[in-house]
Amino acid sequence: MSKVELNETLRVISERHAVKKYETGFQMPEEDLQTILKAASEAPSAWNLQHWRFLVIESEADKQKLLPVAYNQIQTAESSLTIAVLGDLEANRNTVIFDQAVEAGLLKSEIRDAMVGQINGAYQSPQAARDSAIMNASLAAQNIMLAAKSLGYDTCPMVGFSPEKLIQEFNIPDRFLPVMLITVGKAKEPARPSGRLPLSETVVRGGF
Ligand SMILES: Cc1cc2nc3c(=O)[nH]c(=O)nc-3n(C[C@H](O)[C@H](O)[C@H](O)COP(=O)(O)O)c2cc1C
């Protein structure tokens, strides 16, 4: 067995697939949910602005609300829960994270002020704010899927839903942009096999 085959991280990455059939009625222990959400929040983000919120949809009533929002994709009703990954369109408001670093003596206040100025400048562009929300929240989404898999759960990332209806049904404030839904639960059936393009088609070395 090669070193690569023994590596737990690579095994989890290669075994994660989009599972659509779940054991219904399986209630995820709170501790596992917290572990998954913590892994999500450990994703990297530009300027460490942590451009995400995680809306956990878990009660039967909320699942029934979500089902038509997700065009009746049954995994939203049958999985243990769905995490709606939201991107923060006003992540420049999260610069409070730098204040903690200044107070801890880890960052000079002049540097904090310069960074806050740069960030607020960048957030003058709604397109840049939206791109950042999607980019950074997507990294958190991948952490959710890998953390869930490593705990013995399966997931399905989904953009097949109406963002407008999700916002309306779950009272999501204007500040947040729905990026992706992720169902999480115990697989009843494995994912459908999915191939990948060979690296010879997807990798370019040294320029096109
Ligand atoms: C951003 C994104 C959106 C997706 N949306 C849906 C969806 O709405 N419904 C669904 O059944 N699968 C959805 N998928 C799952 C993909 O079809 C699946 O990841 C892809 O076919 C590769 O299969 P695998 O993840 O099992 O390897 C989505 C995946 C991603 C990354």
Side-chain angles (χ1 to χ4, degrees):
M1 205 183 277
S2 75
K3 263 190 186 171
V4 166
E5 282 169 308
L6 287 172
N7 182 305
E8 168 71 5
T9 306
L10 294 173
R11 187 184 64 74
V12 166
I13 290 171
S14 92
E15 290 183 359
R16 182 224 53 83
H17 288 291
V19 164
K20 299 174 195 181
K21 294 279 178 197
Y22 295 90
E23 296 288 352
T24 52
F26 180 85
Q27 205 177 344
M28 182 185 298
E30 180 61 22
E31 192 189 354
D32 289 351
L33 176 59
Q34 291 299 320
T35 301
I36 291 167
L37 294 171
K38 182 153 188 299
S41 71
E42 284 172 343
S45 59
W47 278 307
N48 196 20
L49 291 178
Q50 304 168 48
H51 317 53
W52 44 65
R53 291 292 186 280
F54 308 113
L55 169 66
V56 181
I57 298 166
E58 53 196 326
S59 72
E60 275 314 310
D62 283 346
K63 286 182 190 178
Q64 289 311 314
K65 274 204 303 192
L66 181 60
L67 187 59
V69 169
Y71 307 125
N72 294 317
Q73 294 195 72
I74 197 68
Q75 60 266 40
T76 57
E78 293 184 345
S79 58
S80 299
L81 53 88
T82 296
I83 301 174
V85 179
L86 311 175
D88 188 353
L89 295 167
E90 298 173 22
N92 54 321
R93 290 166 64 177
N94 300 342
T95 52
V96 64
I97 195 83
F98 303 145
D99 299 344
Q100 294 168 13
V102 171
E103 275 158 36
L106 299 170
L107 185 70
K108 287 193 177 144
S109 58
E110 306 88 86
I111 297 184
R112 184 251 335 257
D113 296 345
M115 287 202 304
V116 169
Q118 279 176 14
I119 291 165
N120 285 330
Y123 273 79
Q124 296 302 306
S125 158
Q127 179 71 49
R130 187 183 157 88
D131 289 349
S132 286
I134 297 170
M135 183 191 314
N136 293 285
S138 296
L139 296 173
Q142 180 71 346
N143 273 16
I144 290 174
M145 293 185 267
L146 295 180
K149 186 71 193 170
S150 78
L151 293 176
Y153 298 100
D154 280 282
T155 56
C156 184
M158 298 167 54
V159 289
F161 66 95
S162 159
E164 295 80 16
K165 287 192 180 140
L166 187 80
I167 288 167
Q168 198 185 340
E169 288 289 357
F170 294 92
N171 303 314
I172 298 171
D174 286 351
R175 177 173 171 178
F176 301 108
L177 175 74
V179 170
M180 206 182 300
L181 300 177
I182 303 177
T183 55
V184 189
K186 288 281 179 195
K188 187 169 170 193
E189 286 177 24
R192 264 190 248 122
S194 63
R196 290 294 187 272
L197 298 170
L199 293 185
S200 56
E201 282 187 33
T202 59
V203 178
V204 177
R205 301 182 79 154
F208 278 84

